[in-house]
Amino acid sequence: MLNTLGIVEVRLGTGQVDSKIGRKLGGKSLLEWAVRRVTDCQRLDGVVALVGDPCQVEVVRALVPPDVSVFAPAGHDPLARFTATLDEFKARSAVRVCADHPFVDPVLIDRLVSTADAHPNCDYISYRGADGRPAILTPVGLLAEWCSADSLRRANQQAKRATDREHVTGFLYAHPELFNVRLIPLPVELDREDLRLKIDFEEDWEHAQVIYEALGSDEWDWQRLADLLDHQPALRKRMALLNSAKAVV
């Protein structure tokens, strides 16, 4: 049995694969960037790309490294499919990463697993901002979430509303009376309103290209990225405007 499985969740509508996660950055698709950042983690026992639509499996398979499995489980909603993936790969816990987060940070992911080892009674672990909210709800785009397989199974049984089942982990951190939730402080350098590294709008893609050209293909971490953005006030201003626009949509 695996201890912790990294699951990169690919959730796109028909025809969106090539237009979003299939776009190339430095010769690699955005999905491959996300997957490779997860495979760079030291504390994961395996990585799988979770696809919501079986019709997308072959397209997604062409975008990920050959050593990473692509799995399209049965299930009527994201929560059911995520739980089925944990059962299929016989994992005690999972780290969830969104496919549109190509800059997700391996060090921040490993910190979640280390925290889980130190607090074995936890059901859900992620980061929180200064306002106390789960930072996964922000567009930072560098973060992941850890959850135990048992807690996901319980959520899969108890969550009834469509909104609770659409967001895989939302039912966990929304119900601290039912689940043991631990939110660790987000590094202050990342806890800001002018930081946006998820790929959603067309301008996000343009920003990703600027960042890649500045950092190159060498190994880098969230500190280098934060330092780069500190010296790019115009870029941060655009990110802040996009964050505001997204909040109103």
Side-chain angles (χ1 to χ4, degrees):
M1 178 172 278
L2 302 179
N3 186 38
T4 308
L5 177 68
I7 300 179
V8 180
E9 190 180 16
V10 183
R11 295 179 57 186
L12 298 168
T14 304
Q16 287 185 306
V17 173
D18 291 328
S19 65
K20 190 174 184 181
I21 59 172
R23 298 181 78 162
K24 300 288 185 179
L25 187 66
K28 298 177 184 176
S29 70
L30 289 184
L31 177 58
E32 182 176 354
W33 273 102
V35 168
R36 272 304 178 212
R37 298 287 286 172
V38 179
T39 58
D40 284 345
C41 294
Q42 302 297 309
R43 304 299 306 272
L44 299 180
D45 301 304
V47 178
V48 59
L50 166 58
V51 184
D53 182 355
C55 297
Q56 294 177 343
V57 167
E58 292 308 316
V59 178
V60 170
R61 199 186 306 278
L63 297 177
V64 301
D67 57 329
V68 172
S69 300
V70 178
F71 184 56
H76 298 295
D77 53 66
L79 177 55
R81 290 192 289 267
F82 202 93
T83 305
T85 303
L86 281 167
D87 290 340
E88 173 69 19
F89 288 86
K90 297 179 173 56
R92 295 186 181 91
S93 62
V95 163
R96 175 179 174 263
V97 173
C98 295
D100 55 3
H101 291 182
F103 298 113
V104 64
D105 191 87
V107 173
L108 295 177
I109 291 177
D110 283 337
R111 188 177 299 172
L112 295 178
V113 183
S114 298
T115 303
D117 287 346
H119 302 276
N121 293 326
C122 282
D123 294 315
Y124 174 88
I125 302 171
S126 191
Y127 293 89
R128 61 171 168 80
D131 60 2
R133 291 194 318 138
I136 199 68
L137 298 174
T138 72
V140 169
L142 293 167
L143 309 176
E145 307 167 278
W146 177 96
C147 55
S148 71
D150 287 342
S151 67
L152 257 296
R153 292 188 192 101
R154 286 162 52 204
N156 191 38
Q157 293 172 351
Q158 296 177 30
K160 304 302 179 186
R161 296 188 308 168
T163 52
D164 290 332
R165 305 192 64 82
E166 180 68 18
H167 302 284
V168 172
T169 55
F171 191 75
L172 300 180
Y173 55 74
H175 293 279
E177 76 282 5
L178 300 176
F179 301 96
N180 189 342
V181 174
R182 177 172 290 268
L183 299 176
I184 58 182
L186 184 66
V188 291
E189 299 91 334
L190 303 179
D191 193 6
R192 49 197 302 170
E193 296 179 357
D194 59 355
L195 179 61
R196 179 185 180 86
L197 293 168
K198 66 175 294 188
I199 308 298
D200 197 356
F201 300 150
E202 178 64 25
E203 197 169 349
D204 294 330
W205 164 250
E206 295 170 6
H207 294 166
Q209 290 177 306
V210 170
I211 291 168
Y212 175 78
E213 288 168 7
L215 292 178
S217 57
D218 294 337
E219 289 187 11
W220 45 267
D221 53 23
W222 67 264
Q223 290 98 333
R224 279 191 61 193
L225 202 156
D227 182 64
L228 168 69
L229 292 176
D230 268 341
H231 294 84
Q232 299 285 339
L235 182 58
R236 294 200 321 273
K237 182 178 180 181
R238 287 304 307 164
M239 288 181 172
L241 288 173
L242 284 173
N243 287 343
S244 299
K246 187 63 177 174
V248 225
V249 172

